[in-house]
Amino acid sequence: MSCILLTGGSGYIGSHIASLLAREDKDFVIIDNFINSKKSVIKRLEDTSNKKINFVECDIRNTKKLIKILKEKKISAVIHLAAKKSVEESILNPLEYYDVNVSGTLSLLNAMKTVGVKNLVFSSSATIYGEPEYLPIDEEHPINAINPYGESKIIVENILSDLIKSDKEWSIVSLRYFNPIGAHFCGLLGDDPKNIKSANLLPVIIEVAQGKRECLKIFGNDYSTLDGTGIRDYIHIMDLASAHIKAFDFIKNAKGLYVFNLGTGKGVSVMELINCFEKVSKIKIPKIIVNRRLGDVGSCFANPSKAYELLNWRTKYSLEDMCQTAWNFSKTNKLIK
Ligand code: UFG
């Protein structure tokens, strides 16, 4: 049986993919260096799946160790998520971002090449599109990095494109995520970064609901959107995770490099998300309107039809599911810490 290597498997997205791999009885090994995730996630994965989770502590920049793992575990495909992901932090510390996201991926690709593993699913981001030139955004939309985090994802996509040209045996899928939110339905897995405070909308709303922040700052209500607040394409983390399983199945039969947008195709405003959260949690969120946040765009949502067609993937979960599961997780997470 073939074995999958899941890099960054104890992080927010990785742990949800791991839960699906376990549910589908796929053979997989997680590697992580816990730079931004907690070791307790592995135990929670075991509790959720009722299975032993194979795990090795490893930094993706350690090529020698990667080669050893690829050989010993007889890896046939890699789902590569291990990366740093804060836009703000990437502006303050670009070298760290290029080191982990670019050098780390190069190290992984070199290890894969050495061992002859040529199947890869890569975690990219919609941030690479920059300021939208048209909506919804399809995969042909021009690429334009507006911060080092986005640039690091573009560099890796370019490396993958060159790699495919040099060796036609590679099968690579790059998944461009829009705005993943929500949590696993079990309540044990969710967005739970270790060292950085999330500045994303739903985690901030939850902190306000928990009384950890006084009020939510809405960054601008003067965008040319229906209610003036920013529009994004929020996608349930379990829908995002399931796309990786589909992508993994896809690369078994397709050589080359394929890029896919992962979103619902539906734009949701900041106000709509707040209203939905208030409805499911029955908590009123104190809020004030402040200036626009530097680097923010007014509207950004996907045309996900390519993933629908080629991966045979559909999103299943609603905005209510996203708010409800994230809220549930924040409560259980607080209890078991
Ligand atoms: N927002 C607020 N107040 C907050 C936080 C956010 O009003 O306290 C607004 C933003 O202005 C924006 C919307 O909520 O209109 C969503 O903001 P997020 O920070 O949740 O998400 P972004 O779209 O800015 O960025 C996210 C990820 C990036 C990723 C990008 C993909 O954080 O890493 O989506 O396009 F690159």
Side-chain angles (χ1 to χ4, degrees):
M1 202 162 109
S2 64
C3 185
I4 303 165
L5 182 70
L6 180 59
T7 79
S10 69
Y12 175 40
I13 297 169
S15 58
H16 291 78
I17 296 172
S19 77
L20 288 185
L21 290 171
R23 194 171 78 190
E24 294 203 359
D25 268 332
K26 299 241 198 286
D27 193 14
F28 69 99
V29 183
I30 287 178
I31 60 165
D32 208 302
N33 67 354
F34 298 109
I35 197 172
N36 192 33
S37 61
K38 298 172 183 160
K39 285 195 173 159
S40 57
V41 170
I42 303 295
K43 167 86 176 53
R44 290 185 187 199
L45 267 171
E46 292 186 333
D47 291 347
T48 306
S49 62
N50 237 334
K51 282 189 182 131
K52 173 95 189 82
I53 298 294
N54 291 317
F55 161 75
V56 182
E57 188 160 348
C58 176
D59 190 304
I60 49 166
R61 290 165 291 185
N62 187 342
T63 318
K64 266 193 189 152
K65 192 165 178 181
L66 283 178
I67 291 173
K68 194 164 172 274
I69 295 168
L70 289 168
K71 280 185 182 161
E72 280 181 9
K73 307 285 181 188
K74 298 189 172 51
I75 301 294
S76 60
V78 178
I79 300 178
H80 175 40
L81 309 165
K84 303 206 79 178
K85 63 166 186 181
S86 156
V87 169
E88 217 179 4
E89 199 186 37
S90 80
I91 295 166
L92 294 173
N93 201 347
L95 296 185
E96 173 94 15
Y97 271 67
Y98 290 121
D99 187 31
V100 176
N101 296 9
V102 180
S103 305
T105 304
L106 275 176
S107 160
L108 174 70
L109 292 171
N110 275 316
M112 289 172 73
K113 189 180 167 200
T114 304
V115 181
V117 177
K118 296 183 177 179
N119 299 317
L120 175 73
V121 177
F122 173 65
S123 156
S124 188
S125 168
T127 197
I128 68 172
Y129 294 119
E131 178 88 40
E133 289 179 16
Y134 59 84
L135 290 166
I137 295 177
D138 58 22
E139 291 81 357
E140 304 309 314
H141 186 285
I143 299 299
N144 177 25
I146 44 180
N147 52 63
Y149 166 68
E151 187 65 53
S152 74
K153 294 289 176 186
I154 295 175
I155 294 172
V156 171
E157 284 206 2
N158 287 336
I159 292 170
L160 297 176
S161 164
D162 287 341
L163 181 60
I164 284 286
K165 285 178 207 147
S166 75
D167 181 353
K168 305 266 180 294
E169 286 304 303
W170 282 81
S171 302
I172 305 176
V173 164
S174 181
L175 300 174
R176 297 172 177 170
Y177 310 151
F178 279 70
N179 290 60
I181 58 170
H184 198 283
F185 290 86
C186 71
L188 289 176
L189 303 171
D191 192 5
D192 190 20
K194 191 161 76 176
N195 293 321
I196 45 165
K197 251 172 118 63
S198 177
N200 292 128
L201 181 59
L202 189 56
V204 173
I205 292 176
I206 288 174
E207 284 193 5
V208 175
Q210 289 174 327
K212 290 182 186 164
R213 289 186 195 231
E214 247 174 56
C215 81
L216 171 74
K217 291 181 183 154
I218 297 176
F219 298 136
N221 66 349
D222 54 354
Y223 286 107
S224 51
T225 60
L226 226 53
D227 61 26
T229 64
I231 284 183
R232 295 291 183 275
D233 189 336
Y234 298 98
I235 170 171
H236 195 290
I237 188 71
M238 292 308 285
D239 278 329
L240 191 88
S242 78
H244 292 73
I245 311 293
K246 295 278 190 182
F248 169 73
D249 289 337
F250 178 81
I251 54 172
K252 282 187 210 151
N253 306 309
K255 299 250 180 273
L257 170 64
Y258 299 82
V259 297
F260 295 104
N261 284 341
L262 296 185
T264 62
K266 189 178 174 304
V268 169
S269 75
V270 172
M271 276 316 297
E272 284 174 310
L273 187 67
I274 299 169
N275 290 340
C276 181
F277 181 84
E278 289 183 336
K279 198 175 105 201
V280 304
S281 67
K282 301 186 180 60
I283 293 174
K284 196 97 197 114
I285 299 296
K287 43 195 165 295
I288 50 163
I289 309 288
V290 299
N291 289 336
R292 291 180 179 192
R293 184 170 63 179
L294 209 68
D296 267 356
V297 301
S299 291
C300 177
F301 52 94
N303 175 348
S305 50
K306 189 175 167 194
Y308 286 4
E309 281 158 30
L310 294 189
L311 299 181
N312 188 26
W313 166 82
R314 295 275 181 286
T315 55
K316 283 200 289 205
Y317 301 113
S318 66
L319 198 65
E320 279 78 13
D321 294 327
M322 302 180 208
C323 291
Q324 186 70 64
T325 51
W327 181 229
N328 287 351
F329 172 68
S330 73
K331 288 190 278 188
T332 35
N333 198 32
K334 200 168 69 180
L335 288 176
I336 55 180
K337 243 176 213 165

